[in-house]
């Protein structure tokens, strides 16, 4: 349990470091590029057909569900571009989420430091040579989701604009965006606390403000916001084992509330990149049941209590679960 919890923390730090590296890589276009890149992808012949398809135009299908079913994120971004450009906070958030994921996995697997893109076959061969890693089928799925950005030189840097869309969604009131923005801000504050470089623009209460923003967002019941709260759990007076169970309780509640925890979800693909035990077409809930064993029921009970606090918008009670 201790080892698994440490791994989760390390992976979180690596993910954040990757985010900062994406913003500062020399030779790349600036991370905060103009939002017109969304319109660029919407006019590409390779994505116009999918953007105008009957599936993409179903009024009864939520944007979150369309994201979960998207096989190509470039096509998905093209399909919701009119909404995102008109200020729809949910479309802005999902645009950011799509671009952020492709930026991270492309840098990890498909893009060389020179910016050159590896072929699918090269990445599959590299993965096959490692004792622990993604299956050939999973890599193919990752490539399919981001291929619109990887195969078109004009769109290759578009995922680097994800922070622009996250900022817009946050300002426009998306609970999921507010929670993610707060979590990233808190991670940045943690890095700065160990830095010798002064940051005069950061107030002493910056972390408190970020946490309050996240708590406010989670009271909406948004599953993405709930999932992000697992990043805020601190050991404090708890044991390491109790802390790990509480972290998983937040994630269980997110899955129960509608967060995508299926075997082909972005989250499970990321988790399985370092732990092969989560494979075999299992959901995240299945994975936790194996990992937690007898403590799984404790995590479920905690998830129920957290859910009740969210439903009653009891901020003070929620703080007890952080």
């Amino acid at each position: 349990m201790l080892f698994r919890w440490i791994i989760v923390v390390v992976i979180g730090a690596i993910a954040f470091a990757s985010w900062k590296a994406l913003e500062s890589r020399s030779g790349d276009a600036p991370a905060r590029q103009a939002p017109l890149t969304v319109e660029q992808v919407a006019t590409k012949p390779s994505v116009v057909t999918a953007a105008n398809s009957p599936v993409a135009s179903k009024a009864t299908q939520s944007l979150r569900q369309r994201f979960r079913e998207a096989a190509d994120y470039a096509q998905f971004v093209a399909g919701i571009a009119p909404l995102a450009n008109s200020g729809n906070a949910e479309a802005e958030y999902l645009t950011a989420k799509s671009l952020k994921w492709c930026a991270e996995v492309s840098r990890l697997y498909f893009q060389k430091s020179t910016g050159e893109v590896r072929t699918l076959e090269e990445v599959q061969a590299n993965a096959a040579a490692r004792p622990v890693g993604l299956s050939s089928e999973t890599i193919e799925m990752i490539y399919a989701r981001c291929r619109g950005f990887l195969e078109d030189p004009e769109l290759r840097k578009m995922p680097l604009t994800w922070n622009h869309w996250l900022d817009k969604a946050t300002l426009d009131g998306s609970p999921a965006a507010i929670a993610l923005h707060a979590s990233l801000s808190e991670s940045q504050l943690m890095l700065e606390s160990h830095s010798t470089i002064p940051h005069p623009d950061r107030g002493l209460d910056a972390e408190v403000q970020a946490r309050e923003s996240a708590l406010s967002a989670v009271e909406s019941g948004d599953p993405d916001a709930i999932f992000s709260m697992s990043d805020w759990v601190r050991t404090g007076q708890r044991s390491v084992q109790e802390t790990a169970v509480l972290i998983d309780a937040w994630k269980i509640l997110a899955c129960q509330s509608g967060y995508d925890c299926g075997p082909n979800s972005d989250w499970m693909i990321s988790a399985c990149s370092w732990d092969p035990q989560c494979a075999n077409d299992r959901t995240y809930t299945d994975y936790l049941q194996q990992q937690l064993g007898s403590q799984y029921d404790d995590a479920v009970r905690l998830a129920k209590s957290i859910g009740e606090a969210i439903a009653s918008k009891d901020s003070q009670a929620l703080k007890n679960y952080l």
Side-chain angles (χ1 to χ4, degrees):
M1 175 66 72
L2 173 60
F3 174 75
R4 185 172 64 84
W5 184 71
I6 292 174
I7 288 292
V8 170
V9 173
V10 170
I11 287 180
I14 291 173
F16 182 78
S18 298
W19 166 53
K20 297 306 294 179
L22 284 169
E23 288 191 316
S24 60
R25 283 169 61 190
S26 60
D28 281 343
R32 297 183 182 272
Q33 296 176 2
L36 290 178
T37 48
V38 170
E39 294 186 358
Q40 286 179 330
V41 74
T43 60
K44 285 289 178 180
S46 59
V47 300
V48 166
T49 300
N52 294 324
S53 69
V55 172
S57 63
K58 285 183 180 178
T60 57
Q61 191 176 38
S62 71
L63 292 179
R64 204 72 65 96
Q65 184 63 28
R66 285 167 60 182
F67 170 77
R68 291 178 64 161
E69 295 177 0
D72 185 323
Y73 286 167
Q75 293 177 347
F76 172 72
V77 168
I80 67 172
L83 287 173
N85 286 323
S86 67
N88 181 292
E90 178 77 346
E92 290 168 342
Y93 167 68
L94 292 174
T95 295
K97 187 172 183 177
S98 303
L99 298 179
K100 181 177 183 292
W101 194 75
C102 281
E104 291 172 348
V105 299
S106 294
R107 184 173 181 273
L108 284 172
Y109 301 109
F110 292 103
Q111 285 188 314
K112 301 178 183 179
S113 59
T114 59
E116 184 182 355
V117 177
R118 294 183 178 91
T119 66
L120 175 60
E121 292 72 20
E122 286 179 308
V123 177
Q124 288 175 326
N126 290 339
R130 299 172 184 170
V132 176
L134 299 175
S135 67
S136 177
E137 293 77 13
T138 301
I139 292 174
E140 189 171 354
M141 187 184 304
I142 294 174
Y143 186 85
R145 287 181 185 174
C146 299
R147 69 184 305 162
F149 302 122
L150 291 167
E151 295 180 352
D152 191 325
E154 293 182 32
L155 300 180
R156 197 164 293 158
K157 292 180 180 178
M158 183 184 170
L160 298 179
T161 67
W162 68 264
N163 45 48
H164 165 84
W165 290 100
L166 181 63
D167 288 347
K168 283 180 64 65
T170 300
L171 290 173
D172 288 335
S174 162
I178 292 170
L180 177 57
H181 194 280
S183 181
L184 292 173
S185 296
E186 192 269 345
S187 297
Q188 174 66 10
L189 288 167
M190 288 183 64
L191 289 178
E192 291 175 359
S193 68
H194 295 89
S195 172
T196 57
I197 302 175
H199 296 275
D201 58 323
R202 302 289 187 181
L204 295 177
D205 61 345
E207 183 174 357
V208 174
Q209 292 177 352
R211 187 182 68 173
E212 292 300 322
S213 293
L215 283 170
S216 177
V218 83
E219 288 178 7
S220 70
D222 185 285
D224 286 38
I226 293 172
F227 191 88
S228 71
M229 293 308 295
S230 62
D231 295 335
W232 290 90
V233 176
R234 301 292 179 266
T235 300
Q237 301 301 314
R238 305 182 185 97
S239 68
V240 172
Q241 192 172 55
E242 290 171 335
T243 303
V245 172
L246 181 54
I247 289 172
D248 289 333
W250 279 101
K251 293 178 179 178
I252 289 171
L253 178 60
C255 294
Q256 294 173 341
S257 302
Y259 190 79
D260 189 1
C261 299
N264 295 326
S265 64
D266 291 346
W267 164 247
M268 281 299 288
I269 287 176
S270 298
C272 292
S273 66
W274 59 270
D275 189 348
Q277 295 185 58
C278 69
N280 301 322
D281 295 325
R282 291 186 298 169
T283 66
Y284 188 66
T285 302
D286 297 331
Y287 173 60
L288 285 181
Q289 282 182 296
Q290 177 185 352
Q291 291 295 313
L292 292 175
S294 61
Q295 290 184 311
Y296 177 75
D297 289 340
D298 295 334
V300 171
R301 281 191 290 270
L302 273 173
K304 183 176 184 295
S305 298
I306 297 171
E308 291 170 350
I310 291 174
S312 61
K313 300 186 184 300
D314 190 339
S315 300
Q316 192 56 48
L318 288 172
K319 291 178 182 178
N320 294 328
Y321 299 109
L322 299 180

